[in-house]
Amino acid sequence: MNKQQGQFYLFGQKRFLPFFITQFLGALNDNLFKNALLVIIVSSGISASDSNTNFLTNLAAGLFILPFFLFSTTAGQLADKCDKAWLIRRIKFAEILIMLTGSYALYSSNINLMLGVLFLLGVQSAFFGPIKYSIIPQHLATEELMAGNAQVGMGTFTSILIGTLLGAWLVSYEGGTLLVGATAMMLAFIGWRASCAIPDAPSEGGDIRISLNPIADAVRNIRLARNNMTVFYCIMGISWFWLFGGSFLTQVPNFAVAVLQGHATLISVLLGAFIVGVAIGSLLCAKISGPQVEPGLIPFGAIGLTLFSADLFFASTSYQLANAAISAVMPVQFFSLSGGLRIFVDLMAIGMFGGMFIVPLYAMVQSRTESHKRARVIAANNVFNALFMVSGALMGIVCLSIVQMSIPQFFALMSGANLLFLVLLVWRVPEFKLRFLAWITNNR
């Protein structure tokens, strides 16, 4: 990549742009439908009680994650065996059929069918995941990996934010279910058309036998990942980020309303701060590191996560003491209150340093894994991601519901846990520490 062209040079390349559009619209559609469904569950009276509402919302989250446990390993085998562009086109065509079913479920207010569609979207995402990160190094040069992963990371989190807001917004209108269904169908069709322009990405592992035993296959894929322990610990780092970030995102709605005494609209502002921060951090990562994959950014990102999540605890505590008498705080008022802007900056910085942490990890997995087994290694990563996310949810339940921690105290706990994880990571992979020190020295 020509340095003078900058990282956005890739958006002018057919080998990248159609794939970027495809993955962006896919993530947007998943979150559009999922959040529209959650709003329907909470607000439409489909559930008869609060306990039933909580059950259905947690069931919806579980149904979307479950396919990553069941199908990621098979998806990795397929992605290493078949042409990845060919697979993407078929996965995206399946999305059109899934969203057609979803549109009918929304129109008929059939909650069971909506949940079934959400499960199918999870299946589709589980099959797309190993392809998503294994096709990038097949179409991009080594010096373009940081920029490519940064833009995919930026696009993914931006699409999550847009889908989350758009789903909740559209379904709130009269006839909103029809709007959601029509939008989902349109996005699925455009995504499929974009996928048709992705250049071929032939496989180098045509002799792979497809197995349908998720447990045995997961064990085999983990062994593949452990052939290179640096790659394996990068996978652990990626999975930790999803646990850490997921823990924060899960608590933001209750944090905004119960701790900050905010109006419901404040939730979107704070979620937006975190997600936009990740997108900015992803792009900054590629800008700072240049064309090379820079492992030194991994400790830098982890240190930022620790510092700003710790500050979020102190900022939240100070905010509560200073604004105890105020309730139903609107977003504009929030920024004028003592500590409001500091909390917003903390959440954005947590996202930003998270982006700097995760982009080089993905790039290292791609660059240091042999091409003929790359998708299966990434499939193992996806299984660990799902496992860590579920563990993070369970940790939140234990800390907040059983131990009775406050949400700011939970943030402080996560800050300490992140520091411990950083120490373990640089101990197991000394390269991270050495490159970090060299990077700091060279950039003084």
Side-chain angles (χ1 to χ4, degrees):
M1 181 178 67
N2 187 331
K3 276 188 170 185
Q4 292 181 341
Q5 292 173 311
Q7 58 179 303
F8 294 106
Y9 153 78
L10 291 174
F11 283 121
Q13 302 295 307
K14 185 180 177 181
R15 57 196 169 96
F16 181 77
L17 182 61
F19 165 73
F20 177 87
I21 294 171
T22 300
Q23 65 87 28
F24 179 90
L25 294 180
L28 196 160
N29 228 0
D30 287 346
N31 286 276
L32 169 77
F33 187 88
K34 180 170 64 175
N35 285 281
L37 172 57
L38 292 176
V39 171
I40 290 170
I41 290 172
V42 170
S43 64
S44 68
I46 289 175
S47 49
S49 67
D50 288 342
S51 61
N52 197 31
T53 298
N54 290 331
F55 171 76
L56 287 175
T57 53
N58 285 291
L59 176 63
L63 284 173
F64 190 76
I65 294 176
L66 179 61
F68 289 89
F69 290 106
L70 298 178
F71 302 113
S72 284
T73 52
T74 302
Q77 293 168 1
L78 280 171
D80 274 337
K81 183 179 179 66
C82 305
D83 185 294
K84 297 175 185 63
W86 180 86
L87 283 172
I88 289 175
R89 287 191 280 273
R90 276 142 188 84
I91 291 170
K92 295 302 292 184
F93 186 78
E95 183 182 332
I96 296 175
L97 301 179
I98 293 169
M99 285 308 185
L100 182 62
T101 307
S103 297
Y104 173 76
L106 289 166
Y107 173 74
S108 60
S109 299
N110 187 330
I111 190 66
N112 292 324
L113 187 55
M114 291 182 210
L115 291 169
V117 168
L118 188 62
F119 176 79
L120 291 176
L121 288 174
V123 172
Q124 184 211 17
S125 295
F127 274 91
F128 185 72
I131 304 171
K132 175 179 177 178
Y133 285 105
S134 61
I135 198 174
I136 292 174
Q138 202 161 344
H139 284 159
L140 302 185
T142 302
E143 62 270 18
E144 296 173 325
L145 281 183
M146 286 295 284
N149 279 282
Q151 286 154 27
V152 168
M154 176 271 296
T156 298
F157 281 93
T158 302
S159 64
I160 289 172
L161 176 61
I162 294 172
T164 299
L165 299 179
L166 190 61
W169 176 55
L170 288 178
V171 81
S172 65
Y173 280 90
E174 185 176 349
T177 53
L178 292 176
L179 288 173
V180 171
T183 303
M185 284 293 298
M186 179 186 68
L187 293 174
F189 179 78
I190 296 172
W192 171 71
R193 288 295 299 161
S195 73
C196 293
I198 297 175
D200 292 342
S203 164
E204 297 179 9
D207 58 341
I208 295 171
R209 294 180 60 185
I210 304 299
S211 169
L212 299 177
N213 185 332
I215 297 176
D217 294 340
V219 171
R220 279 192 288 270
N221 289 351
I222 291 169
R223 285 174 181 161
L224 284 177
R226 288 179 65 87
N227 287 341
N228 185 325
M229 290 306 295
T230 297
V231 168
F232 180 74
Y233 285 117
C234 285
I235 289 173
M236 292 297 99
I238 292 168
S239 299
W240 171 256
F241 171 78
W242 285 109
L243 183 156
F244 184 90
S247 297
F248 273 80
L249 284 177
T250 301
Q251 307 312 323
V252 162
N254 202 28
F255 174 67
V257 175
V259 176
L260 304 182
Q261 300 298 316
H263 185 269
T265 52
L266 185 61
I267 297 172
S268 297
V269 173
L270 299 184
L271 285 173
F274 179 87
I275 295 174
V276 170
V278 175
I280 293 172
S282 298
L283 295 178
L284 277 177
C285 183
K287 181 71 173 177
I288 292 170
S289 65
Q292 66 179 357
V293 177
E294 179 51 79
L297 285 175
I298 296 167
F300 181 68
I303 291 169
L305 288 175
T306 297
L307 292 177
F308 282 97
S309 54
D311 189 68
L312 184 60
F313 162 73
F314 293 111
S316 303
T317 304
S318 299
Y319 177 95
Q320 286 182 295
L321 292 174
N323 306 296
I326 304 174
S327 62
V329 177
M330 299 297 290
V332 174
Q333 182 186 8
F334 172 74
F335 288 105
S336 66
L337 294 176
S338 175
L341 181 60
R342 180 180 170 188
I343 290 170
F344 180 85
V345 170
D346 280 340
L347 282 169
M348 181 169 282
I350 290 168
M352 186 178 71
F353 281 98
M356 293 184 183
F357 177 73
I358 198 171
V359 167
L361 287 170
Y362 271 119
M364 287 184 70
V365 170
Q366 293 164 345
S367 63
R368 301 195 183 189
T369 304
E370 296 167 280
S371 60
H372 66 277
K373 62 182 182 182
R374 188 179 288 129
R376 283 170 290 166
V377 170
I378 292 172
N381 168 70
N382 290 347
V383 172
F384 276 117
N385 289 353
L387 182 62
F388 273 54
M389 288 171 71
V390 171
S391 300
L394 293 175
M395 185 188 304
I397 291 171
V398 170
C399 292
L400 297 171
S401 300
I402 298 176
V403 180
Q404 296 290 310
M405 281 185 176
S406 68
I407 294 177
Q409 287 171 338
F410 179 67
F411 291 159
L413 175 68
M414 292 305 299
S415 174
N418 189 69
L419 179 60
L420 177 61
F421 181 82
L422 171 61
V423 171
L424 291 172
L425 193 62
V426 297
W427 174 54
R428 300 304 298 176
V429 189
E431 177 187 2
F432 292 159
K433 179 182 71 174
L434 296 174
R435 291 291 293 269
F436 171 66
L437 294 175
W439 179 72
I440 290 293
T441 301
N442 292 334
N443 286 278
R444 281 181 176 175

